[in-house]
Amino acid sequence: MSAGTATGVTGAPPPPSGPSASPAAPAPGSGSGSAPGSGSAPGRRFVARAAAATAVLTAAGSFFGLVRDQTIAHLFGAGSETDAFLVSWTVPEFASTILIEDAMALVLVPAFSLALSRRAAVRETGKDARALPEDPAGPADPVRALLAATLPRLLLALACAAAAVALLAPPLVGALAPGLADPGLAVDCTRLTAVTVLGFGTAGYFSAALRAHRSFAPPAAIYCAYNITVIAVVLGLHARWGVRAAAFGVAAGSLAMVLVQLPAFWRRLHLRAAGTLRARRPVRAARPPRAARPPRAARPPRAAALVGWGVVAPVAVFALSRQSQVLVERFLASGLPPGAISHLNYAQKIAQLPMTFSLLLCTVTFPLVARAMADGRTERARRRVERDLVLAATVVLLGAAYVIAYAPQIVQLLFERGAFGAADTAATASVMRVYATGLLGHCLAGALVRPFFATARPVWYPAAAMAAGLLLTVVAGALAAPRWGVHGIAAANAAGITTTALLLLCGLRTRVLPVRVRAVAAGLVRLTLAAAAATAAGLAAAPLLPSPLPAAAAGALAVPAAFTAAALAVRAPEVPQLLTAVTRRFRHAR
């Protein structure tokens, strides 16, 4: 499954040296209204507001994503035509995961955070940026320097990559799905979706820069713009172009992602940086003599150097390995009867919704963790990471319990209309239940990888952990697909990503942050037990109401209630505190 379609230890290692620990910024304030990019740390109210805004916009984007999938299912069903389109959709899925969700954010958020930390140090000391040992001859603003050094090169590279995908579409389709019934249609759709490499890459750059500046609403709105555009294009052109209209809509949607962020990006980075430069020009310090400059080896690296190949390579390998699970699934499913790829896709789209919402908090707090690491505040980063892991696991396990218990009702309610029949519902629901067993692994992998790359230093361990999980997915899928079909492929996916999550959790303490692995693991076990009890309660209650809408609505109440009761019984972490907070807020509202 793709993520794109996220306490102390005795004898723990010291905080990492290098760029992540230097320069140390002044002690942050505790106020929640600190200015973006300032040296003060945001309070809980800021995090809550940012998470709430992100959650609302992400929920809206997910809603329109379901409408998009419903539209495609209604118009084209689940057959050879949609199989061809979904093979072409591999390109935007890869681009989205690598250029928006994973690689771009994991590289650029720490880089911009370090640049902002250095800008804050300049403002605190009152010295001009030219006097910093970072770059005595460089520009006055580290943020502007990073922007100028990375954005033009990135746009050129993305344009070349998009052209290469369009040119190499025939062999690419042959490699992705050699048993496809209509490869010509898939080639046409792939050439259209190649535009998403440029669109998603630019949108991912804007999102990372804005989040580092603590601006979360525009990045969270990109999927609303994307899905609304896809829906509009499909409805307007499907009678003339068939399923190619969906591919064209995906390309147009990627450009809408850029446009919805462009005004905020221009205001936050271009104008702010220009103002900083103008303010500094009258008081530029003289360039120190060569003898007074620190040795080159002793200087902290420039912020722009933190997006070099030495840093990008491990992030890119991790993201490619993670997204390669989709390639494995579609490669194995292409030899199964027509519709297998479509059933996997629809099941995945629904099952990954709990994972998407579980990682919202990690998306908001990742810039804060990266900034804490840049300022050398390892203890603050450690506490934030541990809390995020437990909260994300709570959300995803609750969602997984609901998905497993009410899978047939959910699929019937969302998709069973038009060309999507009862047989498609049964196949999709059964696959979705298998997928849901790996949701915790997907959630933890997405949450755990962020602190590894928050240091802005080359870290290859996550790529190695993901490669081990991918190898298990390939071997298990190849062995299981001939006997169990799409269910074996989904089970292999769950086993592979769970293995990766366990490896990341074990490696986090020794390589990045001194997290309490045993305490975190014990909390996850308790939450898993609560989810198992909630799943059993949901499975028992689901047949009581034959109609899908009342059954799904009743399950939305029964499963959380059973989960909460079981979590309290096993003393799962965070659940009592969350329940107390909700109760207190309800009483206050009354």
Side-chain angles (χ1 to χ4, degrees), residues 268-300:
R268 290 273 181 173
L269 279 84
H270 181 80
L271 295 182
R272 184 184 297 274
T276 302
L277 285 173
R278 285 195 296 268
R280 294 295 182 185
R281 279 176 182 167
V283 292
R284 282 180 182 172
R287 183 177 181 182
R290 184 174 299 274
R293 300 178 206 165
R296 182 175 298 273
R299 302 177 195 170

Short mmCIF file of all heavy atoms in Angstrom, two decimals, residues 268-300:
data_model
loop_
_atom_site.label_atom_id
_atom_site.label_comp_id
_atom_site.label_asym_id
_atom_site.label_seq_id
_atom_site.Cartn_x
_atom_site.Cartn_y
_atom_site.Cartn_z
N ARG A 268 5.15 34.32 1.80
CA ARG A 268 5.96 33.84 2.92
C ARG A 268 7.45 33.87 2.62
O ARG A 268 8.26 34.20 3.49
CB ARG A 268 5.56 32.41 3.27
CG ARG A 268 4.19 32.31 3.91
CD ARG A 268 4.28 32.49 5.40
NE ARG A 268 2.97 32.36 6.04
CZ ARG A 268 2.80 32.34 7.34
NH1 ARG A 268 3.84 32.44 8.14
NH2 ARG A 268 1.60 32.22 7.86
N LEU A 269 7.83 33.51 1.40
CA LEU A 269 9.25 33.36 1.12
C LEU A 269 9.82 34.52 0.34
O LEU A 269 10.81 35.13 0.74
CB LEU A 269 9.51 32.04 0.36
CG LEU A 269 9.57 30.82 1.29
CD1 LEU A 269 8.19 30.28 1.58
CD2 LEU A 269 10.44 29.75 0.68
N HIS A 270 9.19 34.86 -0.78
CA HIS A 270 9.82 35.87 -1.63
C HIS A 270 9.82 37.24 -0.97
O HIS A 270 10.87 37.86 -0.82
CB HIS A 270 9.10 35.95 -2.97
CG HIS A 270 9.72 36.95 -3.91
ND1 HIS A 270 10.84 36.68 -4.65
CD2 HIS A 270 9.37 38.23 -4.20
CE1 HIS A 270 11.16 37.75 -5.37
NE2 HIS A 270 10.27 38.69 -5.12
N LEU A 271 8.66 37.72 -0.57
CA LEU A 271 8.58 39.08 -0.02
C LEU A 271 9.27 39.17 1.33
O LEU A 271 9.96 40.14 1.62
CB LEU A 271 7.11 39.50 0.11
CG LEU A 271 6.35 39.62 -1.22
CD1 LEU A 271 4.93 40.09 -0.96
CD2 LEU A 271 7.05 40.57 -2.16
N ARG A 272 9.11 38.15 2.18
CA ARG A 272 9.76 38.19 3.50
C ARG A 272 11.27 38.20 3.34
O ARG A 272 11.99 38.93 4.01
CB ARG A 272 9.32 36.99 4.33
CG ARG A 272 9.88 37.02 5.74
CD ARG A 272 9.48 35.75 6.47
NE ARG A 272 8.05 35.65 6.62
CZ ARG A 272 7.36 36.20 7.60
NH1 ARG A 272 8.01 36.88 8.53
NH2 ARG A 272 6.06 36.07 7.69
N ALA A 273 11.76 37.33 2.45
CA ALA A 273 13.21 37.27 2.25
C ALA A 273 13.74 38.57 1.68
O ALA A 273 14.77 39.09 2.08
CB ALA A 273 13.56 36.10 1.34
N ALA A 274 12.99 39.16 0.72
CA ALA A 274 13.45 40.40 0.13
C ALA A 274 13.50 41.51 1.17
O ALA A 274 14.43 42.31 1.22
CB ALA A 274 12.53 40.79 -1.03
N GLY A 275 12.48 41.55 2.06
CA GLY A 275 12.48 42.56 3.11
C GLY A 275 13.65 42.40 4.05
O GLY A 275 14.23 43.37 4.51
N THR A 276 13.99 41.17 4.37
CA THR A 276 15.13 40.93 5.25
C THR A 276 16.41 41.44 4.62
O THR A 276 17.25 42.05 5.27
CB THR A 276 15.25 39.43 5.54
OG1 THR A 276 14.03 38.99 6.13
CG2 THR A 276 16.40 39.15 6.49
N LEU A 277 16.57 41.21 3.33
CA LEU A 277 17.78 41.66 2.65
C LEU A 277 17.87 43.18 2.66
O LEU A 277 18.92 43.75 2.90
CB LEU A 277 17.80 41.13 1.22
CG LEU A 277 18.13 39.65 1.07
CD1 LEU A 277 17.96 39.23 -0.37
CD2 LEU A 277 19.56 39.38 1.51
N ARG A 278 16.75 43.83 2.37
CA ARG A 278 16.79 45.29 2.34
C ARG A 278 17.12 45.86 3.72
O ARG A 278 17.82 46.84 3.85
CB ARG A 278 15.44 45.83 1.86
CG ARG A 278 15.22 45.66 0.38
CD ARG A 278 14.05 46.51 -0.08
NE ARG A 278 12.81 46.08 0.54
CZ ARG A 278 11.99 45.18 -0.01
NH1 ARG A 278 12.30 44.61 -1.16
NH2 ARG A 278 10.86 44.85 0.61
N ALA A 279 16.61 45.19 4.76
CA ALA A 279 16.88 45.69 6.11
C ALA A 279 18.33 45.51 6.49
O ALA A 279 18.86 46.27 7.29
CB ALA A 279 15.98 44.96 7.11
N ARG A 280 18.99 44.53 5.93
CA ARG A 280 20.35 44.24 6.34
C ARG A 280 21.38 45.02 5.54
O ARG A 280 22.50 45.17 5.97
CB ARG A 280 20.63 42.74 6.15
CG ARG A 280 19.80 41.84 7.07
CD ARG A 280 20.17 42.06 8.50
NE ARG A 280 19.43 41.19 9.39
CZ ARG A 280 19.48 41.25 10.69
NH1 ARG A 280 20.22 42.16 11.27
NH2 ARG A 280 18.77 40.43 11.43
N ARG A 281 21.02 45.49 4.37
CA ARG A 281 22.02 46.10 3.51
C ARG A 281 22.72 47.31 4.14
O ARG A 281 23.92 47.45 4.02
CB ARG A 281 21.36 46.50 2.19
CG ARG A 281 21.24 45.32 1.24
CD ARG A 281 20.49 45.70 -0.01
NE ARG A 281 20.34 44.56 -0.90
CZ ARG A 281 19.53 44.53 -1.93
NH1 ARG A 281 18.78 45.60 -2.21
NH2 ARG A 281 19.45 43.47 -2.69
N PRO A 282 22.01 48.21 4.86
CA PRO A 282 22.72 49.37 5.39
C PRO A 282 23.73 49.03 6.48
O PRO A 282 24.58 49.84 6.78
CB PRO A 282 21.57 50.22 5.97
CG PRO A 282 20.35 49.77 5.27
CD PRO A 282 20.56 48.32 5.04
N VAL A 283 23.63 47.84 7.09
CA VAL A 283 24.52 47.55 8.21
C VAL A 283 25.40 46.33 7.91
O VAL A 283 25.74 45.57 8.80
CB VAL A 283 23.70 47.29 9.49
CG1 VAL A 283 23.03 48.57 9.95
CG2 VAL A 283 22.67 46.20 9.27
N ARG A 284 25.72 46.12 6.66
CA ARG A 284 26.55 44.98 6.32
C ARG A 284 27.91 45.08 7.01
O ARG A 284 28.55 46.10 7.01
CB ARG A 284 26.77 44.90 4.81
CG ARG A 284 25.58 44.33 4.05
CD ARG A 284 25.91 44.30 2.57
NE ARG A 284 24.78 43.81 1.80
CZ ARG A 284 24.73 43.82 0.48
NH1 ARG A 284 25.73 44.32 -0.21
NH2 ARG A 284 23.69 43.35 -0.15
N ALA A 285 28.29 43.98 7.59
CA ALA A 285 29.61 43.93 8.20
C ALA A 285 30.67 43.70 7.13
O ALA A 285 30.42 43.06 6.12
CB ALA A 285 29.67 42.82 9.24
N ALA A 286 31.83 44.26 7.38
CA ALA A 286 32.91 44.05 6.43
C ALA A 286 33.32 42.58 6.42
O ALA A 286 33.28 41.90 7.44
CB ALA A 286 34.11 44.92 6.81
N ARG A 287 33.71 42.13 5.26
CA ARG A 287 34.12 40.74 5.14
C ARG A 287 35.41 40.55 5.94
O ARG A 287 36.37 41.28 5.77
CB ARG A 287 34.35 40.39 3.68
CG ARG A 287 34.71 38.92 3.48
CD ARG A 287 34.86 38.62 1.99
NE ARG A 287 35.16 37.22 1.78
CZ ARG A 287 35.38 36.69 0.59
NH1 ARG A 287 35.31 37.45 -0.49
NH2 ARG A 287 35.65 35.41 0.47
N PRO A 288 35.42 39.57 6.87
CA PRO A 288 36.62 39.39 7.68
C PRO A 288 37.80 38.96 6.83
O PRO A 288 37.64 38.32 5.80
CB PRO A 288 36.20 38.28 8.66
CG PRO A 288 35.10 37.55 7.95
CD PRO A 288 34.39 38.58 7.14
N PRO A 289 39.01 39.33 7.28
CA PRO A 289 40.19 38.89 6.53
C PRO A 289 40.28 37.37 6.52
O PRO A 289 39.74 36.69 7.39
CB PRO A 289 41.35 39.52 7.30
CG PRO A 289 40.79 39.78 8.66
CD PRO A 289 39.35 40.10 8.47
N ARG A 290 40.97 36.85 5.52
CA ARG A 290 41.07 35.41 5.34
C ARG A 290 41.63 34.73 6.59
O ARG A 290 41.20 33.65 6.97
CB ARG A 290 41.94 35.10 4.13
CG ARG A 290 42.02 33.61 3.79
CD ARG A 290 42.78 33.40 2.49
NE ARG A 290 42.12 34.05 1.39
CZ ARG A 290 41.13 33.49 0.68
NH1 ARG A 290 40.71 32.28 1.01
NH2 ARG A 290 40.59 34.13 -0.32
N ALA A 291 42.60 35.36 7.25
CA ALA A 291 43.22 34.73 8.42
C ALA A 291 42.23 34.61 9.58
O ALA A 291 42.39 33.77 10.46
CB ALA A 291 44.45 35.53 8.85
N ALA A 292 41.23 35.52 9.61
CA ALA A 292 40.28 35.50 10.73
C ALA A 292 39.13 34.54 10.52
O ALA A 292 38.34 34.31 11.42
CB ALA A 292 39.72 36.91 10.96
N ARG A 293 38.98 34.01 9.32
CA ARG A 293 37.88 33.10 9.06
C ARG A 293 38.18 31.72 9.62
O ARG A 293 39.33 31.29 9.64
CB ARG A 293 37.63 32.98 7.55
CG ARG A 293 37.29 34.29 6.87
CD ARG A 293 37.11 34.05 5.38
NE ARG A 293 37.40 35.27 4.64
CZ ARG A 293 37.61 35.31 3.34
NH1 ARG A 293 37.60 34.20 2.65
NH2 ARG A 293 37.87 36.46 2.75
N PRO A 294 37.15 31.01 10.08
CA PRO A 294 37.38 29.66 10.59
C PRO A 294 37.77 28.73 9.45
O PRO A 294 37.44 28.99 8.29
CB PRO A 294 36.01 29.27 11.17
CG PRO A 294 35.03 30.13 10.44
CD PRO A 294 35.74 31.41 10.16
N PRO A 295 38.49 27.66 9.73
CA PRO A 295 38.84 26.71 8.69
C PRO A 295 37.58 26.17 8.02
O PRO A 295 36.53 26.05 8.64
CB PRO A 295 39.58 25.60 9.45
CG PRO A 295 39.98 26.22 10.74
CD PRO A 295 38.99 27.28 11.05
N ARG A 296 37.71 25.82 6.74
CA ARG A 296 36.56 25.34 5.98
C ARG A 296 35.94 24.11 6.63
O ARG A 296 34.72 23.96 6.66
CB ARG A 296 36.98 25.04 4.54
CG ARG A 296 35.84 24.56 3.65
CD ARG A 296 36.31 24.40 2.22
NE ARG A 296 36.76 25.66 1.68
CZ ARG A 296 35.96 26.55 1.10
NH1 ARG A 296 34.66 26.33 1.02
NH2 ARG A 296 36.44 27.68 0.63
N ALA A 297 36.76 23.22 7.15
CA ALA A 297 36.23 21.99 7.75
C ALA A 297 35.45 22.28 9.02
O ALA A 297 34.60 21.50 9.44
CB ALA A 297 37.38 21.03 8.06
N ALA A 298 35.74 23.43 9.68
CA ALA A 298 35.07 23.74 10.94
C ALA A 298 33.78 24.51 10.74
O ALA A 298 33.03 24.71 11.68
CB ALA A 298 36.00 24.56 11.83
N ARG A 299 33.53 24.99 9.51
CA ARG A 299 32.32 25.77 9.27
C ARG A 299 31.11 24.85 9.14
O ARG A 299 31.19 23.80 8.53
CB ARG A 299 32.45 26.59 7.97
CG ARG A 299 33.62 27.53 7.94
CD ARG A 299 33.67 28.20 6.58
NE ARG A 299 34.97 28.84 6.36
CZ ARG A 299 35.36 29.34 5.20
NH1 ARG A 299 34.55 29.27 4.16
NH2 ARG A 299 36.54 29.89 5.07
N PRO A 300 29.98 25.25 9.72
CA PRO A 300 28.75 24.49 9.49
C PRO A 300 28.40 24.56 8.01
O PRO A 300 28.66 25.55 7.33
CB PRO A 300 27.70 25.21 10.34
CG PRO A 300 28.48 26.07 11.28
CD PRO A 300 29.76 26.40 10.60
#
